[in-house]
Amino acid sequence: MSTNMLRYWLWKSSTSVPTLSGDIMNKGAHIRYVAYGSGEPVLLLHGGLSNKLSWFSQIPWLVKAGRKVVLIDTRGHGESTAGHTALSYQIFAEDTLLVLDRLGIPRTDIVGWSDGGIIALLLGLESPQRVGKIVAISANFHPSGVTQAADGTPSNPLRQQMQQIGDWLRSWWSGAGANHPALAAEIQALWQVAPQLKHADLQAITAPTLVIAGENDIIDLPHSGELAQMLAHAKIEIVLGAGHAAPVTHASEINHLIAAFLGINP
């Protein structure tokens, strides 16, 4: 993981590929985006309480492979502000389409991790003409798919101490800084009630989809299997030994799966 982070920073500080960054305004929020390289676009959507830099193990090789890599900070995360509307997957999807419009991208492959995978599925349902292929990593289609281990409730003093350390790390990881507690409260409340995709919704998503789950994911494996089964054109891959953070902890396996599914020579 540390090696991949170092490689990313070395790449970022030395790359000469075309880079375009900016923000769009929607419902009171500034949504930050950056696009690297040229060629066929691939949109990377991060998870809840994370930010666009969480893709540090994927960005350099995707750009080197000739793809235009588009990254977005979900509203309230990273360099994006929260705006004046309640957070929802629908507003996240709306923000995403506006970014694609700004960049002049009519259609793109999407790699989404956790909440990013949910956004990708929602775009596949509601804006199919904008979506090529979808890679949905550790994504659920209903709150029931998240295991009880995901609630973060400390059960003993050691876990309480570790959670205190984790709180600081999570505030850094989300990019929200001092706003992290408020963001975390709103996102965790969202996780309790959304998404609410029905089987009919999943069957209506026609984009070829690769569902990826970690062997020890907080997304229940039967739920991931059900997701892949209900989608019109999908297959599933389980990454052995991985949890919910496979793009970071098992980057080599994830990158191989992405490359094979999207037809990329890494």
Side-chain angles (χ1 to χ4, degrees), residues 39-188:
E40 291 297 314
V42 57
L43 172 64
L44 305 184
L45 297 176
H46 67 78
L49 303 181
S50 180
N51 73 89
K52 63 183 180 295
L53 296 182
S54 62
W55 295 107
F56 63 84
S57 295
Q58 287 73 44
I59 298 167
W61 73 264
L62 281 168
V63 174
K64 185 178 179 181
R67 301 300 294 261
K68 182 185 185 73
V69 178
V70 180
L71 303 142
I72 299 174
D73 277 333
T74 302
R75 65 171 54 213
H77 299 69
E79 297 179 279
S80 293
T81 59
H84 52 57
T85 189
L87 300 185
S88 69
Y89 293 113
Q90 284 71 28
I91 193 65
F92 296 156
E94 182 179 307
D95 292 338
T96 301
L97 289 176
L98 289 173
V99 169
L100 294 177
D101 289 345
R102 172 67 61 85
L103 292 171
I105 297 174
R107 185 178 177 88
T108 183
D109 293 330
I110 306 176
V111 180
W113 174 6
S114 192
D115 276 8
I118 296 170
I119 298 167
L121 293 173
L122 194 60
L123 290 170
L125 174 64
E126 298 185 349
S127 302
Q129 74 281 5
R130 307 297 299 268
V131 178
K133 292 183 176 181
I134 295 173
V135 179
I137 306 170
S138 297
N140 58 303
F141 62 89
H142 188 273
S144 62
V146 182
T147 68
Q148 291 301 308
D151 63 12
T153 303
S155 59
N156 58 54
L158 177 59
R159 285 192 64 186
Q160 291 175 3
Q161 184 178 21
M162 292 302 296
Q163 181 167 341
Q164 289 174 354
I165 297 171
D167 287 344
W168 179 85
L169 289 172
R170 281 186 286 272
S171 68
W172 172 79
W173 186 248
S174 71
N179 293 326
H180 177 82
L183 174 64
E186 189 165 4
I187 288 291
Q188 287 166 1

